[in-house]
Amino acid sequence: MLFEVWAPKARDRVTLELAGAAHPMARDPERAGWWTGTAPAVDGDRYGFALDDGPVLPDPRARRLPDGPGGLAAVVDHDTYVWEHGVPARLRLRGGVLYELHVGTFTPEGTLDAAAARLGELAGLGVTHVELMPLCPFPGTRGWGYDGVAPWAVHEPYGGPPALKRFVDAAHGLGLDVVLDVVHNHLGPSGNHLPSFGPYFTGAHGGAATPWGPAVNLDGPGSDEVRAYFKGSALAWLRDYRIDGLRLDAVHALVDTRALTFLEELSAAVDALSVEQGRRHFLIAESDRCDPRTTAPRASGGLGLHAQWNDDFHHALHTALTGESQGYYADFARAPMAALAKTLTRVFFHDGTFSSFRGRHHGRPVDRARTSAHRFLGYAQTHDQVGNRAAGDRLSATLSPGLLACAATLVLTGPAVPMLFMGEEWGAGTPWMYFTDHTDPELAEAVRQGRRREFAAYGRPEEDVPDPQDPATRDRSVLDRDERGRDPHKRLLAWHRELIALRRTLPDLTDPDLSAVRVAYDEEARWLVFRRGDVRVAVNLGPKPAEIALGSNSRDRVLAAWERTEAPGRDGLLRLPAESAAVFTDG
């Protein structure tokens, strides 16, 4: 078996340590910094590399770390897995409903196999794409996954590589696509051995150039190989595990000054793989730049990613529902119904406007005539927007069932591709908190104190901020499925199922034409109506019934309503109960 490693920091020699035996490796004469060697090996054999007289370290491209980031790598033979299901016909994002899922809290067991056993629930709900939060190995057992240190491997407590294949296989058997959240902008601080091998990180951009540590070296000396490393890991998920698409974490934190950016390279490589395999793969970016160039075609000067999260829609919806105005919500909270109307029609609220949170102008307008609505994802809750709150409180902790139904209506019938956060479909009463399992005591304490300081600035007492290192913090975040059989959770689940069915059956609700969306609203009365083709959607966020002048049409009929609602009568008035929503058609 061929073993190879990029280790430009090795001065004289690199030794392969495999199954207790040492094998010298040779410099590759055609690839600077690369070392190669052959040795007999089978699936599961432990191995690592020793540079010069240093310790044995796991392979930077390890496909498996059975003992965690601090242990040796294990050989993975991908051909040993026999796939039971073929890859289903690709469903375009245009018709999709995404569901963000954290393996460690989706079930009490917190494993991929336990999550796979629940996939039928999601298929029955009408979900089309399951988006897994990061799976790369990180220290300890429990965590969000954004401090992973081995971007080619699968966290062993989740079940390792075989379990991920079983999960994808089960999803495809149910007609579900699988999206994986990957992190290229940083790696975790504990168990990260990459700096021992080569210049994977750079201090050229001011040291801690990202909120999480040094910037990944995408543009300095040696960056060709660093780019190939992350690009190769991305393609491996798509090729070896049959994953359908990737969600790219915080691409705005990628520091890249090269003319041809890493994101363009990656999108071109993914498109090429799609052609090679005859399958449609896609990339979804998380970006706070409010820049339509993120998803514009490469030929038009864009990055060529296929879709992006739209936090501006979330912020507008959140402020309209809750009245919160702290931090980045401030600009949206001044006129939340107007902000919501703008994000439904023009995508970004900050499209060149002044952002008080940033202290500068921000964003760029979306060309609605040329940009598909399905370049953007819309959502009321995500892991970030729930978990980064001090107590991990969901909207269900403070909002009435009626307002939760309104939120679902705006997400699931709006022009953007809808995404739900696990448990949202039944208004889960469990929080989803920030939790970690750092094995380094100093790092654990630093995270604990940092979390407390962060929320102390907002006046939160220390005792109100859960200890992320306490195992109970994770345990309290596990979904309670028994809620689904009780109201109001049962009713909310049925409402989500009804709305998803409408989205699937009414072509107007998946129309990509942003310029055709029409919105009317009343800031003071807190109602909003938008039109998509023959379909009209109305929400009343106010505490009193609303009378909305829509015009008389004898063909009007109600398709779905949270509370009993009649179609507009001869007077042309829609009488919508307080904190409720309705979908109707005049077609």
Side-chain angles (χ1 to χ4, degrees), residues 524-549:
E524 184 176 353
R526 291 175 46 76
W527 59 258
L528 179 145
V529 178
F530 65 89
R531 182 175 191 134
R532 304 187 64 198
D534 292 332
V535 177
R536 285 187 282 186
V537 179
V539 296
N540 178 11
L541 307 184
K544 299 178 180 180
E547 289 191 348
I548 307 170

Side-chain angles (χ1 to χ4, degrees), residues 174-301:
L174 292 166
L176 298 169
D177 277 12
V178 180
V179 185
L180 178 63
D181 194 337
V182 296
V183 183
H184 294 152
N185 55 71
H186 75 289
L187 276 78
S190 180
N192 181 2
H193 302 292
L194 292 184
S196 298
F197 288 89
Y200 283 89
F201 303 94
T202 176
H205 302 291
T210 78
W212 313 281
V216 171
N217 178 21
L218 297 177
D219 55 4
S223 60
D224 286 353
E225 291 291 355
V226 176
R227 285 171 174 243
Y229 174 80
F230 286 103
K231 182 171 65 177
S233 72
L235 296 178
W237 296 119
L238 304 175
R239 181 185 296 112
D240 298 336
Y241 294 93
R242 297 191 178 182
I243 284 171
D244 303 285
L246 302 176
R247 182 261 192 188
L248 308 180
D249 180 63
V251 299
H252 51 269
L254 294 172
V255 184
D256 186 359
T257 61
R258 288 171 61 165
L260 179 62
T261 66
F262 168 72
L263 290 175
E264 291 172 83
E265 276 193 46
L266 178 60
S267 67
V270 168
D271 286 348
L273 181 65
S274 295
V275 173
E276 174 190 325
Q277 295 191 330
R279 302 176 48 200
R280 184 185 304 278
H281 296 298
F282 54 87
L283 298 172
I284 301 172
E286 179 199 18
S287 174
D288 76 350
R289 290 198 179 106
C290 295
D291 188 353
R293 290 177 296 189
T294 301
T295 56
R298 294 185 300 278
S300 301

Side-chain angles (χ1 to χ4, degrees), residues 379-533:
Y379 37 85
Q381 300 179 81
T382 69
H383 76 273
D384 271 330
Q385 303 300 340
V386 176
N388 283 329
R389 297 172 70 84
D393 47 311
R394 299 169 179 262
L395 289 175
S396 57
T398 54
L399 298 185
S400 68
L403 288 178
L404 294 177
C406 289
T409 305
L410 289 165
V411 169
L412 292 170
T413 64
V417 176
M419 184 177 74
L420 304 173
F421 179 57
M422 61 177 196
E424 179 181 349
E425 69 271 28
W426 72 78
T430 49
W432 199 77
M433 296 179 282
Y434 179 69
F435 51 89
T436 57
D437 191 20
H438 293 300
T439 53
D440 180 340
E442 291 186 6
L443 178 58
E445 184 60 22
V447 169
R448 182 183 293 116
Q449 295 302 326
R451 187 78 173 169
R452 290 170 177 170
R453 285 194 301 271
E454 176 184 356
F455 291 103
Y458 293 97
R460 295 297 295 261
E462 181 177 303
E463 60 270 18
D464 286 356
V465 182
D467 180 359
Q469 283 287 118
D470 185 348
T473 303
R474 175 267 173 187
D475 294 343
R476 290 171 56 199
S477 300
V478 174
L479 290 175
D480 176 8
R481 283 185 169 76
D482 289 343
E483 292 179 327
R484 297 175 305 166
R486 306 189 298 266
D487 279 331
H489 306 289
K490 183 178 180 179
R491 186 181 175 199
L492 279 165
L493 181 59
W495 181 243
H496 279 79
R497 187 176 289 114
E498 185 175 9
L499 291 174
I500 292 172
L502 284 179
R503 188 175 187 91
R504 184 172 58 245
T505 56
L506 297 176
D508 284 337
L509 293 184
T510 53
D511 183 352
D513 187 359
L514 281 166
S515 64
V517 181
R518 298 288 183 269
V519 178
Y521 63 91
D522 186 308
E523 195 74 58
E524 184 176 353
R526 291 175 46 76
W527 59 258
L528 179 145
V529 178
F530 65 89
R531 182 175 191 134
R532 304 187 64 198

Side-chain angles (χ1 to χ4, degrees), residues 117-128:
R118 297 286 186 176
L119 286 174
E121 299 169 3
L122 304 184
L125 177 65
V127 165
T128 60

